Amino acid sequence: MLRAALVGVDFGAVDFGASLEELALLARSAGAEPITTITAKRASPDPAYFVGSGKADEIAQAATVDHVDIVIFNHALSPAQQRNLERRLNRRVIDRTSLILDIFAQRAKSHEGKLQVELAQLQHLATRLIRGWTHLERQKGGIGLRGPGETQLETDRRLIGERVKALRARLTKLRKQHETQRRARNRNATFSVSLVGYTNAGKSTLFNTLTKAGVYVANQLFATLDTTSRRLYLNDEVGSVVISDTVGFVRELPHQLVAAFRATLEETIHADLLLHVVDGSSDVRMEQIEQVNDVLREIGADHIPQILVWNKIDAADLQPGVERDEYDKISRVFISARSGAGLDLLRDAIVEAASQGAAQEAAFEATSAPGLSPENEEQDDAAPDFSPENAGESIPTSTHLGPH
């Protein structure tokens, strides 16, 4: 296991301490062991070293004393800053973005997840090619690959560009398949529920408890990156709903990942209800809620009805219960996914939301012109059947987040 030094710069953020604790969890998730943590206070980043030359020398000394293999910054570094730091520290330096990408790469299991992770990695790498290929910038004999007059760096950039184009084309094809699946569910009026929330909030544990799905669960960040959908029978009135377990969010989620995983995250965008799972025992739960809502806004899912699911009440010494807003709609449910406390209240909340959704749709149809256009009828006929016989089976909707 790599010995790591963690570096955090306090620019006045209220959650600086919690962010550093999260960095240690991320490092362990990636396979590194934090040995020492070095902090600093600055008004703004240093253009050359992010932390300033004096602090860089302090980091170098600590890394030597503690026999550190890698230095991990809790911030996004520019390519120049990363290159300067590696020369000054004489060690490998990575930033928060690279760390998260690396975790995602390790955890991605499905074909789609691997494609999305590779796309995000290549987009990140494209800005940092000079780091790995400085010694190859002069002309060399890249037989069969190099174009006329290209340096090695230009060749690498061209090859990365071609690979990015191919990955985007394959992900576009998968996105169309997801749209076909959603049309099938819409045709059958299947109510769709997506679990969202901060990583390690207990989404997969809740998903398993509700659906008996057996999704991998561990007390670590990004334990599972695959999005899995299952049918969940509620009662005779509502019938079954489709519930999806999505990837967890985190502070400063790399934009490359959000963009690359947009096709899979659209399962969230098209949900009828979001169950926003919150770690009720966390001291920074309100900040985590806001981080999740920021990502939901970024992917265009902030308009979807949402119920806060206050999980881990057994660890927070809270009791099962339900809270309603000023419109008498359920806004928060207190549960423990591990012990099962309050799950009956959560099921009732989903039933109530599905019933209200069905009533609103019926009212809308009553005031709308009947019938479909010929184009829409053809599209619906082409959609695959979503039959009750498949209840409990995994619906092919994979989502992964990952780095290298």
Side-chain angles (χ1 to χ4, degrees):
M1 182 174 287
L2 291 176
R3 296 168 63 87
L6 309 183
V7 180
V9 181
D10 184 1
F11 295 110
V14 294
D15 61 346
F16 174 70
S19 179
L20 265 184
E21 291 176 6
E22 185 174 277
L23 182 68
L25 290 174
L26 287 168
R28 291 189 180 96
S29 295
E33 180 59 35
I35 302 299
T36 183
T37 300
I38 300 146
T39 61
K41 283 191 175 183
R42 291 185 64 92
S44 61
D46 177 74
Y49 296 103
F50 194 87
V51 292
S53 58
K55 181 60 71 170
D57 290 338
E58 180 185 330
I59 296 170
Q61 183 178 0
T64 300
V65 170
D66 293 320
H67 305 287
V68 164
D69 303 305
I70 188 169
V71 178
I72 304 174
F73 274 71
N74 192 29
H75 312 274
L77 300 174
S78 71
Q81 288 168 338
Q82 187 171 356
R83 187 165 59 251
N84 293 340
L85 283 165
E86 288 189 336
R87 288 171 179 165
R88 189 129 187 168
L89 305 182
N90 198 28
R91 282 169 178 79
R92 188 180 174 209
V93 175
I94 65 171
D95 61 6
R96 186 183 179 92
T97 299
S98 298
L99 180 62
I100 294 175
L101 285 171
D102 188 78
I103 297 170
F104 284 169
Q106 293 179 39
R107 303 281 165 76
K109 302 299 180 188
S110 75
H111 173 64
E112 181 176 8
K114 291 176 181 178
L115 290 179
Q116 292 172 126
V117 170
E118 184 183 354
L119 176 59
Q121 285 180 308
L122 288 176
Q123 290 173 327
H124 184 64
L125 176 65
T127 63
R128 296 160 193 268
L129 268 181
I130 189 170
R131 290 185 57 245
W133 298 102
T134 302
H135 61 296
L136 294 177
E137 282 193 71
R138 62 185 182 277
Q139 293 287 60
K140 291 202 171 191
I143 299 174
L145 292 176
R146 186 171 298 114
E150 281 186 330
T151 64
Q152 180 67 49
L153 188 61
E154 290 169 338
T155 301
D156 295 332
R157 284 177 176 156
R158 176 171 56 82
L159 293 175
I160 284 180
E162 292 171 356
R163 179 62 178 164
V164 165
K165 184 177 179 181
L167 287 171
R168 283 177 173 161
R170 293 167 71 179
L171 287 171
T172 298
K173 183 177 180 180
L174 289 169
R175 183 177 179 179
K176 291 178 180 178
Q177 292 175 2
H178 290 326
E179 290 174 353
T180 300
Q181 293 164 2
R182 281 193 293 269
R183 282 203 306 270
R185 293 203 294 271
N186 291 337
R187 183 183 63 178
N188 286 275
T190 307
F191 192 78
S192 175
V193 181
S194 283
L195 299 179
V196 299
Y198 210 77
T199 184
N200 209 31
K203 294 182 307 301
S204 294
T205 300
L206 176 59
F207 183 76
N208 285 342
T209 305
L210 289 173
T211 66
K212 317 299 183 201
V215 170
Y216 176 70
V217 174
N219 184 25
Q220 57 184 195
L221 304 187
F222 305 118
T224 177
L225 299 178
D226 289 327
T227 292
T228 306
S229 298
R230 295 289 174 91
R231 279 184 177 274
L232 173 65
Y233 178 79
L234 293 174
N235 60 24
D236 292 339
E237 178 188 353
V238 174
S240 295
V241 300
V242 171
I243 185 166
S244 300
D245 178 27
T246 61
V247 69
F249 301 142
V250 72
R251 285 180 186 82
E252 301 171 38
L253 190 66
H255 291 290
Q256 299 99 320
L257 280 177
V258 176
F261 278 80
R262 189 173 186 85
T264 312
L265 290 173
E266 282 185 351
E267 199 66 26
T268 300
I269 299 174
H270 294 280
D272 298 303
L273 174 69
L274 300 181
L275 296 182
H276 183 162
V277 183
V278 179
D279 180 355
S281 66
S282 172
D283 294 332
V284 291
R285 54 186 176 273
M286 301 312 296
E287 289 84 357
Q288 292 177 349
I289 290 172
E290 188 54 39
Q291 293 285 339
V292 172
N293 287 334
D294 285 344
V295 177
L296 291 176
R297 277 190 288 272
E298 187 172 349
I299 65 175
D302 53 325
H303 65 285
I304 300 172
Q306 183 181 128
I307 295 176
L308 284 176
V309 180
W310 222 253
N311 191 25
K312 305 185 183 180
I313 59 171
D314 45 345
D317 198 24
L318 297 171
Q319 296 300 314
V322 169
E323 286 185 359
R324 293 181 178 271
D325 60 19
E326 63 270 27
Y327 305 105
D328 199 36
K329 290 186 176 181
I330 295 176
S331 59
R332 182 159 56 166
V333 182
F334 295 83
I335 70 158
S336 170
R338 185 176 298 277
S339 70
L343 288 186
D344 54 335
L345 300 175
L346 180 59
R347 291 175 68 98
D348 291 343
I350 299 174
V351 168
E352 184 175 314
S355 299
Q356 290 172 347
Q360 290 173 354
E361 186 171 341
F364 175 78
E365 289 178 353
T367 57
S368 301
L372 292 170
S373 69
E375 294 82 6
N376 287 337
E377 288 180 350
E378 288 177 7
Q379 287 180 347
D380 276 353
D381 289 341
D385 187 28
F386 197 75
S387 60
E389 292 81 47
N390 294 326
E393 294 182 1
S394 177
I395 300 167
T397 335
S398 294
T399 305
H400 296 284
L401 284 185
H404 90 211

